[in-house]
């Protein structure tokens, strides 16, 4: 199991055990429900947007360690970001987990770097990106865009 | 029953080439048999030999190879007739799998008979493949789906079953063995009760035939379905057993070659059973491989396999119950060789990943039985399912791997 240390780093296990911003939000500006039908993971993401900035973000639901800690880290990373910055981080994170080459527009991932190990376990990529897709859907719905999910 | 001296586990394991490999430098411990079992060399070789020596299309050619392929194909049907104790070979229909078999019955038997107000009765422990085809046919006809509830232990609520079964019921669909809980349903009793109201019964035997001796005439099942790949055969081949009278009264499910006697643009005369339901070139190698798998299972003996797996189940249950924070989902009195479990504070997906690092293959997820997960209030479970080649020592490896997992997530 030593080889799984890369996947289950201490920081990931910590976020799994003590997820940040794990709560249902009253009166959110945006909300979406994410569901991974393969494993039954369900994540709800709530956002409050003020002057184009993610003022508050929270999530609840049930998922595996990778899913939960990714959602937790996502909320801490996105809080205070502008919508554009949040969108850029979502795209960069997604690229980092699914593609070999970096894109020119990718932004630094910061603490989210610890989740890059998931790339070596393709079936777990969905676990790590579920909350992010859900956030993206919440934002798009808020902006009146039709989601294709 | 058999004793361990007769059950030569070492020789059985030798028959399965894949069991010799390692995973992450650890010996493979394959406990995902309910999803798909492994194949013995006898099956692999039968398929290889067909392609290398006999292969041609079946029921077509006048030439030698076509005759040889056809003989092998028909032999397999005869083997399955004997295996299930069906009355005659043309009650055995080859399909792509248990799922296609159920869809065939839903569309060809149920659909023409259903009208608004009618009911299809299933149970809360069905696999999605024994739920969705019925939902589809209900939507198409205005009929409704009724569901027999299950107890905390994972047993059917027989009282509710008797209440839900009525003159509105057009068909009862029930799994023989639950893939998510391991529960063995009292199908003979269910069939008897249904027949008292002239309700035909489809039994989903996908999880049963590799583990339990099945006699469709003794059960008096109207339809019995299973898949090849769960009984050590190839994927993409399955069986629909149906009583001749019912099959004869059903229109074809798909149109195409082999299911017709004559075709003109004015109309078509359908072929007789079983060809009426076998449109197009079938999965010839799959069928031949399945025949070899049936031979292999017969050689070991379903009774001996069942006894061995029951021993594994008892042993694994006692070992797993000793682990703090582990909860077994499904503790029916009559249970086949599988254990669904959850751990406090570790999601099944993470369990599956951690066990894999120890070479142990289990299934993590909802096992295509989401209503069962909902019933027990869990998003998913980890499931260890046993086959004829699993050993007591492998249960020890599983137990240790679970303990390591718990420590990692502490």
């Amino acid at each position: 199991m030593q080889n799984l240390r890369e996947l289950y780093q201490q920081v990931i296990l910590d976020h799994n055990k003590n997820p940040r911003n794990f709560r249902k939000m009253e009166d959110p500006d945006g909300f979406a429900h994410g569901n991974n039908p393969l494993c039954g993971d369900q994540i709800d993401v709530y956002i409050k947007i003020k002057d184009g900035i993610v003022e508050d973000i929270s999530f609840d639901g049930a998922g595996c360690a990778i899913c939960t800690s990714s959602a937790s880290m996502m909320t801490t990373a996105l809080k205070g970001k502008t919508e554009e910055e949040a969108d850029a981080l979502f795209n960069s994170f997604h690229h980092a987990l699914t593609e070999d080459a970096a894109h020119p527009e990718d932004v630094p991932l910061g603490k989210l770097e610890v989740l890059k190990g998931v790339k070596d376990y393709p079936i777990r990529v969905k676990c790590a990106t579920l909350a992010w897709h859900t956030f993206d859907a919440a934002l798009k719905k808020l902006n009146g865009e039709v989601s294709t999910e | 029953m058999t004793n361990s001296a007769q059950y030569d586990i070492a020789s059985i394991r030798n028959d399965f080439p894949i069991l010799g490999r390692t995973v992450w430098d650890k010996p493979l411990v394959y406990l995902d048999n309910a999803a798909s079992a492994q194949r013995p060399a006898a099956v692999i070789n039968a398929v290889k030999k067909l392609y290398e020596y006999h292969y041609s299309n079946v029921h077509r050619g006048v030439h030698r190879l076509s005759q040889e392929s056809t003989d092998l194909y028909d032999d397999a049907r005869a083997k399955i007739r004997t295996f299930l104790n069906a009355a005659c070979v043309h009650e055995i229909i080859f399909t792509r799998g248990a799922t296609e078999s159920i869809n065939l019955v839903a569309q060809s038997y149920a659909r023409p008979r259903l009208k608004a107000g009618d009911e299809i009765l299933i149970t809360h422990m069905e696999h999605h493949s024994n739920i969705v085809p019925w939902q589809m046919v209900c939507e198409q006809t205005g009929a409704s789906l009724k569901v027999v509830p299950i107890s905390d232990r994972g047993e059917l609520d027989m009282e509710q079953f008797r209440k839900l079964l009525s003159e509105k019921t057009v068909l009862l669909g029930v799994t023989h063995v639950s893939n998510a809980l391991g529960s063995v349903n009292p199908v003979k009793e269910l069939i008897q009760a249904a027949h008292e109201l002239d309700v035909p019964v489809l039994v989903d035997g996908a999880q049963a035939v590799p583990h339990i001796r099945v006699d469709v005439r003794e059960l008096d099942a109207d339809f019995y379905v299973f898949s090849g790949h769960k009984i050590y055969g190839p994927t993409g081949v399955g069986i629909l057993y149906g009583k001749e009278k019912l099959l004869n009264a059903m229109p074809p499910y798909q149109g195409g070659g082999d299911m017709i006697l004559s075709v003109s643009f004015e109309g078509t005369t359908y072929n007789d059973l079983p060809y009426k339901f076998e449109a197009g070139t079938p999965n010839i190698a799959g069928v031949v491989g399945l025949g070899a798998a049936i031979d292999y299972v017969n050689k070991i003996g379903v009774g001996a396999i069942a006894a061995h797996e029951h021993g594994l189940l008892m042993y694994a249950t006692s070992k797993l119950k000793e682990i703090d924070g582990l909860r077994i989902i499904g503790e029916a009195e009559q249970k086949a060789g599988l254990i669904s479990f959850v751990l406090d504070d570790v999601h099944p997906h993470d369990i599956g990943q951690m066990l894999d690092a120890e070479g142990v293959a289990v299934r993590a997820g909802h096992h295509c039985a989401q209503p069962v997960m909902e019933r027990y209030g869990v998003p998913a479970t980890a499931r260890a399912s046993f086959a004829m080649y699993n050993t007591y020592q492998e249960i020890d490896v599983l137990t240790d791997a679970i303990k390591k997992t718990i420590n990692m997530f502490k």
Side-chain angles (χ1 to χ4, degrees):
Chain A
M1 287 186 178
Q2 204 47 46
N3 52 353
L4 282 183
R5 272 290 166 203
E6 180 68 19
L7 179 65
Y8 291 110
Q9 293 185 48
Q10 216 52 51
V11 56
I12 292 176
L13 292 175
D14 175 58
H15 272 271
N16 176 48
K17 209 174 260 185
N18 311 295
R20 327 292 199 259
N21 303 301
F22 187 75
R23 62 191 149 81
K24 188 172 162 35
M25 191 188 292
E26 299 304 325
D27 303 320
D29 295 323
F31 159 80
H33 176 72
N35 170 29
N36 182 351
L38 276 179
C39 57
D41 289 353
Q42 312 249 5
I43 293 280
D44 290 333
V45 173
Y46 309 86
I47 47 174
K48 262 197 168 56
I49 304 284
K50 197 177 179 189
D51 302 328
I53 288 172
V54 182
E55 193 186 46
D56 195 11
I57 172 166
S58 72
F59 77 104
D60 69 356
C64 63
I66 304 299
C67 176
T68 305
S69 46
S70 177
S72 171
M73 280 185 253
M74 176 189 79
T75 60
T76 56
L78 292 183
K79 210 181 268 190
K81 292 246 183 327
T82 67
E83 286 185 40
E84 290 74 27
E85 286 167 344
D87 195 44
L89 194 56
F90 163 64
N91 284 321
S92 304
F93 181 72
H94 201 253
H95 293 159
L97 264 59
T98 56
E99 290 174 34
D100 288 330
H103 287 231
E105 69 274 20
D106 280 350
V107 297
L109 292 179
K111 288 176 180 169
L112 297 168
E113 287 276 343
V114 297
L115 285 162
K116 278 172 80 174
V118 174
K119 189 168 181 294
D120 295 333
Y121 302 88
I123 53 166
R124 304 308 294 276
V125 167
K126 273 186 182 162
C127 309
T129 54
L130 177 63
W132 289 82
H133 283 291
T134 312
F135 165 75
D136 185 51
L139 201 60
K140 280 180 175 152
K141 269 193 240 172
L142 189 62
N143 294 334
E145 291 177 42
V146 180
S147 167
T148 52
E149 282 200 329
Chain B
M1 297 292 280
T2 182
N3 61 46
S4 52
Q6 285 169 309
Y7 197 80
D8 190 349
I9 187 79
S11 132
I12 289 173
R13 288 183 67 82
N14 269 334
D15 290 338
F16 288 79
I18 206 166
L19 298 180
R21 71 161 282 181
T22 56
V23 169
W24 311 118
D25 295 328
K26 303 224 161 67
L28 166 69
V29 175
Y30 190 77
L31 298 175
D32 194 18
N33 297 288
S36 201
Q38 299 296 346
R39 285 115 196 76
V43 170
I44 298 166
N45 291 339
V47 172
K48 188 167 181 276
K49 193 175 159 207
L50 171 81
Y51 279 134
E52 284 184 350
Y53 194 73
H54 302 291
Y55 178 78
S56 179
N57 210 332
V58 293
H59 304 140
R60 301 271 196 292
V62 292
H63 56 79
R64 177 69 185 259
L65 295 193
S66 178
Q67 193 54 54
E68 288 177 5
S69 280
T70 302
D71 287 347
L72 288 165
Y73 185 82
D74 291 345
D75 281 353
R77 199 189 308 272
K79 285 170 188 171
I80 289 151
R81 184 208 71 78
T82 310
F83 184 68
L84 292 178
N85 193 30
C88 55
V89 283
H90 52 258
E91 290 181 329
I92 305 296
I93 314 289
F94 288 119
T95 62
R96 281 190 298 131
T99 300
E100 189 177 63
S101 299
I102 296 171
N103 277 279
L104 194 165
V105 175
Q107 290 299 320
S108 187
Y109 178 83
R111 191 176 179 177
R113 288 166 179 78
L114 282 171
K115 56 185 190 311
D118 287 346
E119 294 172 358
I120 296 282
L121 187 58
I122 60 169
T123 84
H124 204 119
M125 67 172 91
E126 297 310 315
H127 188 278
H128 292 167
S129 59
N130 204 22
I131 301 173
V132 183
W134 306 116
Q135 280 176 331
M136 289 166 67
V137 81
C138 283
E139 238 166 65
Q140 287 156 349
T141 58
S144 54
L145 194 64
K146 296 283 165 184
V147 182
V148 181
I150 52 179
S151 72
D152 289 343
R153 288 158 58 92
E155 289 166 344
L156 282 187
D157 184 335
M158 293 300 283
E159 201 177 310
Q160 285 299 313
F161 163 69
R162 285 175 197 281
K163 277 187 190 158
L164 286 163
L165 184 71
S166 77
E167 63 280 357
K168 288 185 191 163
T169 314
V170 169
L171 187 134
L172 167 67
V174 60
T175 190
H176 200 159
V177 173
S178 158
N179 75 314
L181 301 168
S183 318
V184 181
N185 284 319
V187 284
K188 192 170 178 184
E189 194 183 333
L190 297 169
I191 290 168
Q192 265 173 6
H195 284 178
E196 279 168 25
L197 293 176
D198 289 327
V199 174
V201 182
L202 176 141
V203 182
D204 174 1
Q207 298 292 343
V209 288
H211 315 291
I212 297 175
R213 199 184 69 84
V214 172
D215 181 328
V216 290
R217 274 190 287 177
E218 192 201 326
L219 291 175
D220 201 19
D222 300 281
F223 300 104
Y224 196 98
V225 309
F226 71 90
S227 284
H229 69 103
K230 292 189 206 282
I231 188 165
Y232 313 104
T235 58
V237 62
I239 295 300
L240 166 64
Y241 158 81
K243 284 182 181 165
E244 184 178 11
K245 203 173 76 180
L246 295 174
L247 291 172
N248 269 331
M250 288 156 56
Y253 173 56
Q254 293 175 333
D258 227 17
M259 51 73 69
I260 41 83
L261 281 180
S262 68
V263 177
S264 74
F265 291 113
E266 286 69 47
T268 297
T269 312
Y270 302 131
N271 203 340
D272 294 330
L273 290 176
Y275 310 109
K276 182 169 92 173
F277 293 109
E278 293 180 3
T281 296
N283 181 356
I284 300 164
V287 166
V288 171
L290 178 55
I294 297 291
D295 281 344
Y296 185 79
V297 167
N298 284 337
K299 191 181 96 183
I300 309 296
V302 180
I305 294 168
H308 175 68
E309 290 173 351
H310 184 72
L312 292 173
L313 175 70
M314 293 294 110
Y315 183 65
T317 304
S318 70
K319 292 280 281 190
L320 263 50
K321 277 194 161 171
E322 284 169 12
I323 300 175
D324 273 344
L326 185 147
R327 178 160 67 105
I328 293 175
I329 307 284
E331 297 191 87
E333 183 73 33
Q334 297 295 322
K335 195 174 163 181
L338 73 84
I339 300 183
S340 253
F341 65 94
V342 291
L343 297 179
D344 292 346
D345 309 322
V346 191
H347 189 281
H349 230 173
D350 299 313
I351 301 172
Q353 184 94 57
M354 300 294 292
L355 298 192
D356 178 59
E358 298 293 304
V360 181
V362 297
R363 174 78 186 271
H366 53 55
H367 319 298
C368 294
Q370 281 182 308
V372 174
M373 302 297 115
E374 198 188 320
R375 168 67 178 77
Y376 293 95
V378 293
T381 71
R383 178 187 68 188
S385 50
F386 312 127
M388 64 161 89
Y389 40 67
N390 290 124
T391 66
Y392 288 79
Q393 188 259 332
E394 287 180 318
I395 307 286
D396 293 338
V397 176
L398 167 73
T399 310
D400 290 344
I402 294 171
K403 287 178 181 164
K404 281 187 191 171
T405 303
I406 292 171
N407 280 332
M408 175 107 156
F409 278 78
K410 223 167 218 165

